[in-house]
Amino acid sequence: MKSRLQTSDLLKKVRRIEIKARGLSEQVFAGQYHSAFRGRGMAFSEVRGYQVGDDVRDIDWNVTARYANPFIKVFEEERELTVMLLVDMTGSTAFGTRSESKRELNAEIAATLAFSAIQNNDKVGAILFTDEVELFIPARSGKKHILYLIRELLSFEPRSRETNLNVPLSYLNRLIKRRCTAFLISDFFQWGEPYSQTLMLAARKHDLVAIRTYDEGAVELPQMGIVRLLDAESGEERYIDTSSPRLRKAYRKSIEEQLETFRSNCLRGGVDHIEVSTGKDYVPELIKLFGVRR
């Protein structure tokens, strides 16, 4: 189901993100993406005569015996990748106290990664999720496909507003048989059901990267007296006294617990991760991510 965004406004947003994402992928991330996210492995290319300095482990003994001269096997990297973008569409991502919401930031980061991928002839697909898979976009290449993907990220209206990170990870494992590069882009705001085991299983099968988006305005509870709060995921409303030091401390602790859960899960699963705030430049974090993986 589509949102009620006016077509002209949607096209303007898509165009703005396209210009920025393409510029970054061409000017800032050129070459870095290729080095950071390698192909599926090495494929046999040809045999050639042995040269001084060649690794003796690459000698093709059958050809060597046939021609009575040493020959070695030459391998080339299988470059083409399938890139899957697992993007959080839950109610909490609509929040933002800066110039953009977490959902808009998610879309922009996904677009930058997508344009970087197609420049390297990789295919890009997406899984938009809440506590269910809301939309699956099969992996394809080409600018037209990426623009369609960006439009969906900005305009898609999910059926649910709640979060279950196990859902997209399990779906990825079932659907994508061959190893792919997967970016899980979310605020990782999930209570209750643990997702550490599913995260580890996905990381074993695929090259998984976690990108946590957050809003600094939500880290601390401001002192505003008695206010009405709406839970963006459950829809529950209640009044709280924000002047209470105990309540603000409890709120801060809950945020820290969410962050600690995210970081410890990534560490245990061997998952590279970055954290990006709304209203701030995400480019340095992506550059850091690429640099760590080179």
Side-chain angles (χ1 to χ4, degrees):
M1 183 170 62
K2 302 294 181 181
S3 73
R4 297 175 182 175
L5 274 175
Q6 293 293 329
T7 302
S8 59
D9 292 338
L10 176 60
L11 291 176
K12 287 178 183 178
K13 285 188 176 183
V14 171
R15 182 59 177 162
R16 178 184 62 79
I17 290 180
E18 178 197 358
I19 292 172
K20 182 174 180 179
R22 287 187 66 184
L24 288 172
S25 62
E26 293 170 0
Q27 300 167 23
V28 179
F29 299 132
Q32 294 190 50
Y33 171 90
H34 180 97
S35 300
F37 302 99
R38 303 184 184 279
R40 289 190 293 266
M42 304 303 290
F44 173 74
S45 176
E46 61 180 349
V47 295
R48 63 166 172 79
Y50 179 85
Q51 299 174 3
V52 177
D54 285 337
D55 192 333
V56 296
R57 291 173 296 183
D58 292 334
I59 291 178
D60 187 322
W61 294 106
N62 291 330
V63 178
T64 296
R66 187 182 308 161
Y67 294 100
N69 281 307
F71 284 80
I72 68 164
K73 297 177 181 179
V74 178
F75 295 87
E76 292 182 350
E77 180 187 0
E78 287 186 286
R79 176 55 239 174
E80 184 181 278
L81 287 172
T82 294
V83 175
M84 292 302 301
L85 303 170
L86 284 60
V87 186
D88 189 343
M89 302 294 287
T90 56
S92 62
T93 64
F95 181 81
T97 60
R98 306 301 173 100
S99 57
E100 63 184 346
S101 68
K102 285 182 284 185
R103 182 172 297 181
E104 290 171 324
L105 177 59
N106 290 351
E108 197 165 305
I109 293 173
T112 301
L113 293 169
F115 276 114
S116 297
I118 64 170
Q119 281 195 343
N120 283 273
N121 299 314
D122 296 337
K123 296 179 180 179
V124 184
I127 298 171
L128 310 189
F129 70 91
T130 52
D131 59 351
E132 60 181 287
V133 173
E134 297 275 354
L135 179 66
F136 169 66
I137 302 175
R140 295 189 178 91
S141 57
K143 175 186 171 183
K144 184 177 180 180
H145 174 66
I146 301 306
L147 292 178
Y148 161 70
L149 193 151
I150 296 172
R151 287 197 301 271
E152 291 297 329
L153 287 170
L154 290 172
S155 66
F156 187 82
E157 190 68 27
R159 292 179 293 273
S160 176
R161 298 177 64 83
E162 298 185 5
T163 305
N164 188 337
L165 293 165
N166 292 302
V167 168
L169 293 169
S170 298
Y171 189 82
L172 175 74
N173 287 339
R174 290 195 308 271
L175 190 70
I176 309 300
K177 303 302 181 183
R178 301 187 69 178
R179 183 174 177 84
C180 75
T181 295
F183 295 93
L184 178 56
I185 307 173
S186 171
D187 59 10
F188 290 85
F189 194 80
Q190 175 172 325
W191 294 106
E193 186 176 357
Y195 60 89
S196 57
Q197 189 66 29
T198 318
L199 189 77
M200 285 191 284
L201 290 173
R204 288 174 189 167
K205 185 175 181 180
H206 302 289
D207 184 7
L208 181 64
V209 177
I211 300 177
R212 174 181 173 261
T213 54
Y214 66 98
D215 189 285
E216 288 187 339
V219 174
E220 298 282 355
L221 195 62
Q223 296 190 51
M224 300 173 60
I226 297 177
V227 298
R228 185 182 67 174
L229 288 187
L230 171 67
D231 188 312
E233 297 199 1
S234 68
E236 178 185 353
E237 292 185 11
R238 63 174 177 169
Y239 288 89
I240 63 170
D241 184 4
T242 60
S243 63
S244 167
R246 180 181 297 179
L247 186 141
R248 293 198 308 275
K249 183 179 179 180
Y251 176 84
R252 174 71 186 191
K253 183 180 179 182
S254 69
I255 297 297
E256 291 174 349
E257 287 174 351
Q258 286 277 345
L259 179 56
E260 176 56 31
T261 297
F262 166 72
R263 291 174 176 171
S264 61
N265 283 343
C266 288
L267 183 63
R268 285 198 300 269
V271 177
D272 290 331
H273 66 280
I274 57 173
E275 299 169 27
V276 184
S277 173
T278 57
K280 289 193 175 181
D281 187 3
Y282 59 85
V283 172
E285 291 300 320
L286 284 183
I287 291 175
K288 182 172 72 174
L289 172 66
F290 291 172
V292 166
R293 297 175 57 88
R294 296 180 68 175

